[in-house]
Amino acid sequence: MNFRPSRIILAMCCMIVHVKPAAAEDAAPRPWKDTQGRIIQASLVSSNADSVTLKMADGKEHQLPLARLCAEDQAFVKSLSAPASSTAQGATPAVTASSLTRIPVEKRTWPENVVVPTKSIEIQVVEENAAARKCVYRSEGFEFTAQAKLMPSVMKEVARTFEATKTLVSSLPWGVVCRPPEGFERYQAELFETRKDYIAAGGPENSGGVYMSGDKIFRVPFPSIGLKLLGKTYAKDENYDGGTLIHEITHQVMDAYLTFLPVWVIEGTAEYTEMLPYNAGKFRADAHQKGLKDHIQEMQKRGYAIEIGNLEEHLKMNRATWSGITDISNKKMGELYFRSVLAVYFFCHLDGDKKGTRFIKFMDAVYGETEALRSFFKDPRVKHLEGGRFSYPTNFPPPDMKSETAPFKHLDLLLDGRSYSQIAQEMTEAYKAIGVKISVN
């Protein structure tokens, strides 16, 4: 994973949650059949929209894509997590905090291999108007508007990275619920044939891609997604490194959380997903330590020190201060990104019980904020106005969304009664235990 000065996010992105079937906790072993007819005996631990976690007879748990199960077993899993009743009109109720059965923090586990489900990258051609330079394609979770016609096989390769990243974020134990922004059936991406077109559409000149939270669209030029023109047809560059893309897609699928997360968590989690070994739709999530050490080695080659400096200052840094530092130079931006992933990795894998429990609790609290805001905007007392503005009764205020306070509301869950100096010492010792000498105070 390499830091790239071209990386930029104009937003502050969607978390994953494992949906636990009502009967999963005490589920008895049963036969499970895959699409090739092979049968295993296992009990269901948990499931989400893309995968299931099964416990084998030896007690080990394994996660596999839902698409690998036979049609009958897929239907069985979906029936367990389906709403018990429908609305009066027969429509499926909106997903809310109360309607989701969330896996308890202490029962969440870190995945091993995360593989994009085959069904999620089946491409639907919605429109192909070469003269108007508008071609629209859809995968399961994304809608792509491209300026040139792309062959289904090429579009599938483009969609693979998007869908795989969404699957990854949805498989980590952070409890992130990945769903498109309100008003969209799918996440939106605009693909521009040239950098000139990209910049004309609002893409920053020093960026390789940008997610804009204002209109909820990820804009990216063809070269940044590994597309090159061969004759009259676009093809995928086999040597393409999609790291920056993974970073930005992580922001996009975590859009609902940006308001309530400190910048170091926003950038640190995106750096985390980017540093995991990835190839052709498969993340080696269990190789996180190798990914971290490879990243550290690369950053050292680029002249960066393994340091966080003043921990309290970094964890409590607001967006204005962050922007002021990153505006100085790409070097300063790289320092903040590097410090952020070092902090996120510590809280996910080295802190306390080494299971990331404090960080998961923190993210769960942030999830509660996103649900409160979601409920607020769905309330009939809230009137939606032009330009994204809204009005509400004085006795029905919205959740705190101030950038000075909202991102730090639940920081105490990470501290857990500890001083910053104590955490700095624990961080130093924990990194030393895995062979990394870090400077933090």
Side-chain angles (χ1 to χ4, degrees), residues 90 106 116 131 147 169 262 343 359 410 415:
E106 64 275 9
V116 62
Q147 286 188 325
V169 176
F359 190 75
H410 302 291
L415 303 181

Side-chain angles (χ1 to χ4, degrees), residues 128 216 266 296-297 400 406 413:
E128 288 185 327
K216 310 300 182 185
I266 293 172
I296 289 175
Q297 186 176 37
D400 179 17
L413 291 173

Side-chain angles (χ1 to χ4, degrees), residues 74-279:
Q74 288 188 42
F76 169 73
V77 171
K78 291 176 181 178
S79 71
L80 292 178
S81 58
S85 61
S86 59
T87 62
Q89 292 75 26
T92 302
V95 178
T96 64
S98 60
S99 66
L100 281 172
T101 303
R102 296 168 63 78
I103 297 177
V105 169
E106 64 275 9
K107 292 190 177 183
R108 297 183 196 173
T109 58
W110 293 86
E112 296 178 358
N113 296 329
V114 177
V115 182
V116 62
T118 302
K119 64 180 178 63
S120 69
I121 55 174
E122 294 175 356
I123 303 302
Q124 174 191 357
V125 179
V126 179
E127 176 184 354
E128 288 185 327
N129 188 335
R133 301 184 76 195
K134 183 180 180 182
C135 300
V136 181
Y137 307 94
R138 288 175 183 164
S139 59
E140 183 179 58
F142 293 83
E143 181 171 284
F144 305 90
T145 302
Q147 286 188 325
K149 182 178 178 179
L150 301 175
M151 296 295 290
S153 59
V154 174
M155 192 62 243
K156 180 177 288 189
E157 289 303 312
V158 171
R160 190 188 304 276
T161 305
F162 283 79
E163 293 286 355
T165 304
K166 174 177 173 286
T167 302
L168 171 66
V169 176
S170 299
S171 300
L172 295 172
W174 298 339
V176 178
V177 178
C178 288
R179 57 188 165 206
E182 292 296 326
F184 294 92
E185 291 185 3
R186 291 173 173 82
Y187 296 102
Q188 302 293 305
E190 292 182 352
L191 316 180
F192 298 91
E193 200 166 5
T194 68
R195 283 196 55 79
K196 182 178 179 181
D197 292 323
Y198 166 70
I199 293 171
E205 291 194 18
N206 67 334
S207 69
V210 60
Y211 175 64
M212 297 182 176
S213 64
D215 58 11
K216 310 300 182 185
I217 296 175
F218 181 22
R219 294 176 171 86
V220 61
F222 278 15
S224 292
I225 51 176
L227 293 182
K228 61 181 179 180
L229 189 61
L230 296 179
K232 295 183 179 180
T233 305
Y234 279 95
K236 282 287 288 181
D237 184 347
E238 296 300 325
N239 297 317
Y240 169 69
D241 176 6
T244 295
L245 194 61
I246 291 168
H247 180 109
E248 295 296 333
I249 297 168
T250 300
H251 288 319
Q252 183 175 25
V253 299
M254 291 181 67
D255 177 80
Y257 296 79
L258 299 180
T259 298
F260 306 105
L261 289 174
V263 193
W264 69 269
V265 176
I266 293 172
E267 297 301 345
T269 51
E271 289 283 277
Y272 178 96
T273 58
E274 181 184 343
M275 77 180 188
L276 294 177
Y278 170 77
N279 182 50

